[in-house]
Amino acid sequence: MSNAASPEPCCHLELGADGQVLRLRGDWTLARLPELQARLHALAIDPLQPLQLDASGLGALDSAGANHLLSHLERLGVPFPNLHLAGFSAQGLALLNLVAGRRGGVAPHSRRRGRRGLRQVVGWHAFDIARGTRSGLAFIGQTGQALGHLLRHPGLVRWRELFVQLEMVGLRALPIVMLMSYLIGVVFAYLLGIQMQKFSANHLVVDGVGIGIAREMAPLITAVLMAGRSGAAFTAHLGAMKVNQEIDAIVTLGLSPFQVLVLPRLFAIVLMLPLLTFVADVAGFVGAAHVAAWHLDIPTASFYDRLRDVLPLNTVLFGLEKTPVFAAAIALIACHSGFTVKRDARSVGLHTTATVVRSIVAVILIDAIFAVAYPEIEP
Amino acid sequence: MSDEHSARPPEGMRTLPRGDSAQRKGAQMTAPVVEVAALRTRLDGRWVHDGVSFTLRPGEIVALIGGSGSGKTVLLNQLVGLRHPDGGQVKLFGEDLARMGVEALQALRRRFGLLFQDGALFSAMRVAENVAAPLREHLPWLSAPLRDEVVDLKLALAGLPVDAACKMPSELSGGMRKRAALARALALEPELLFLDEPTSGLDPISAREFDSTLRVLVDSLGLTVLLTTHDLDSLWGLADRVIVLFEGKVIADGPVREVARIEHAWIRSYFDTRALE
Ligand SMILES: Nc1ncnc2c1ncn2[C@@H]1O[C@H](COP(=O)(O)OP(=O)(O)O)[C@@H](O)[C@H]1O
Ligand SMILES: [Mg+2]
């Protein structure tokens, strides 16, 4: 009271004849908690003496302020029933009673997950990988089972969903596949051309471009695009359905999520990836032919003539044959990942990322296996 | 119309001491917390609201009722500034939402809480982290122990059991999700709460418990509440006043007893569903 100029302290303790009086002043609100905490902790309250709370100078009081005061006093050993309350408004009393009544003993720190040691981290990851592999294998098995069922009952084909997926996976991807492959053809022909010009062997560009694009570039680029585009879409869509319990609803309706969701996507991408790859072959050749005509003085007509002579059909077919395997890997990885999303939004994002990474790795692995397994496919 | 409204100084509400019940009880005299004037909303080629007007005074619990699809949720979204009305005016604490800058609206948002129809808890955070989120955003200087203390209090006030704090929202029952969402809405000590169907999907016992929790909170924290509901028990037991929304207009506004007596086909059938029992 004496120092009216400086901001009033929020509380102070007076010792009277019949015990202690804690005088509350100013606002006891959430925004002032740190100040209240510092001030309260500085007081030497004796829990053995009677304590009176005097609110005649109290401004605003909210639940956070009331709670802080009561918990501090309780920790000191002065429970709420032992307090003598004076000068509180009816609402203030109601608030104190509410807070005192509701505050339960919350187990401290139980909410924070302890840090894991290195061994635990390694262990958890190994466990995760093992569990993931097991559930992945189970998923492939279930898909195979659903496929077998579908072959025995062809009437179960979900035509509508299949056509929707064919459009999403195939038709809508056409422009980007063509553009990418055309540009790859341009770059490839340009780089090869620089080398070949040194030996005045410009026409050999056609040989290199033909084999490179048909055998590796077009299948890989298209598959990677599909992994990023359709694989991510499958996982995000199925994951969001999982979060919304839509997959549970499908099961409850007596339908199989494999028939309704997985197989149409699997068929769509297995059918579309070879077609898209063929389109990519053509677009790549067109790009290369343009560079050949502009920079290497190879007329477009003779480019295609030579391409026909030096590019065996087998090489083109080899490039196309790999793609259904790529497609199946992408679809299985994406759908499995979507089905294993946990029921929260962040999990959808994590699983979508994982799908893209895993399916690109899978595509390149499968490609390497094909390259090693069929080395004899050479012109 | 708007000039006449904005001429009134908005400061009256803000300086009102929160702890003083005498001023709360004289609510009829003080400035309104929420003012909606001639609000119009067009959705899908249809006027969902066609001239909706009402006010909320401090300390009131007001229930907004109307059939499914009558635009209650849309109206609440407009009141909190998530949607812009196609006409009319919304004032919170005397300030016109349409005329406020982004900063001012952010500051205003600390003074009210919204409980979404399905909770809208952050699914990737534990319940305690959900409640701590507004504190972290708006009071970053609050130390972790103090923040935990406030979070524990809000969870307890909302009536959640101790072990719920470290659960994920997907592990909670419907009633606990609503309570967790209420705890988050209460985190910043709001003066005004909007609740969208707080008791829908709860069993009658949980619903009554939720109502009594709310009543106690309103009486002791000095809150003003606008809630939408289909629950006749909440209406009779909790609401001080009922606003009936029908075909885009407010067709009744008053204490439950009076509204229930109004001769209007929709209101009759609404209240008669209970009279049959
Ligand atoms: N984002 C939106 N776009 C178009 N129409 C909407 C949208 N949200 C709601 N509606 C329509 O507005 C009307 C009111 O919806 P709502 O406020 O959710 O009703 P309720 O009173 O049941 O809460 C409904 O007819 C609904 O179809
Ligand atoms: Mg609604």
Side-chain angles (χ1 to χ4, degrees), chain B residues 69 72-74 117 196-197 228 230:
Chain B
K72 302 181 296 293
T73 299
V74 171
Q117 197 161 346
D196 200 0
E197 304 200 7
T228 74
H230 291 304

Side-chain angles (χ1 to χ4, degrees), chain A residues 30-34 37 59-65 67-68 71 75 89-92 94-95 98-99 102-107 110-113 343-346, chain B residues 18-21 24 123-124 126 128 135 139 141-143 146 148-154 156-157 159 162 165-166 170 187-189 213 216-217 219-222:
Chain A
L30 176 64
R32 297 187 59 192
L33 275 189
Q37 185 185 33
L61 176 67
D62 67 14
S63 66
N67 179 54
H68 187 74
S71 9
R75 272 195 302 271
S89 64
Q91 198 186 348
L95 182 58
L98 171 73
V99 167
R102 285 300 173 87
R103 252 168 2 88
V106 170
S110 60
R111 64 182 53 160
R112 289 204 186 75
R113 209 190 292 162
R343 283 196 58 196
D344 65 72
R346 176 184 294 171
Chain B
R18 298 282 313 281
D20 196 328
S21 69
R24 290 271 163 198
S123 57
R126 284 160 206 287
L135 295 169
L139 307 171
W141 37 261
L142 210 59
S143 67
L146 281 178
D148 287 351
E149 181 187 293
V150 175
V151 168
D152 290 347
L153 170 72
K154 301 295 153 152
L157 286 182
V162 171
C166 20
S170 56
L188 292 170
E189 305 279 345
T213 302
V216 172
L217 290 178
D219 289 345
S220 45
L221 303 181

Side-chain angles (χ1 to χ4, degrees), chain B residues 243-257:
Chain B
I243 296 173
V244 186
L245 212 55
F246 181 75
E247 293 188 339
K249 292 198 160 56
V250 173
I251 55 166
D253 181 349
V256 194
R257 260 171 291 103

Side-chain angles (χ1 to χ4, degrees), chain A residues 2-16:
Chain A
S2 51
N3 48 356
S6 64
E8 268 191 277
C10 52
C11 55
H12 85 164
L13 194 64
E14 281 171 13
L15 293 171

Side-chain angles (χ1 to χ4, degrees), chain B residues 41-46 48-49 64-77 83 117 196-197 228 230 245:
Chain B
T41 312
R42 197 172 174 82
L43 273 173
D44 288 341
R46 190 170 68 91
V48 174
H49 304 124
L64 185 66
I65 66 172
S68 285
S70 58
K72 302 181 296 293
T73 299
V74 171
L75 182 60
L76 286 192
N77 284 344
R83 265 194 92 91
Q117 197 161 346
D196 200 0
E197 304 200 7
T228 74
H230 291 304
L245 212 55

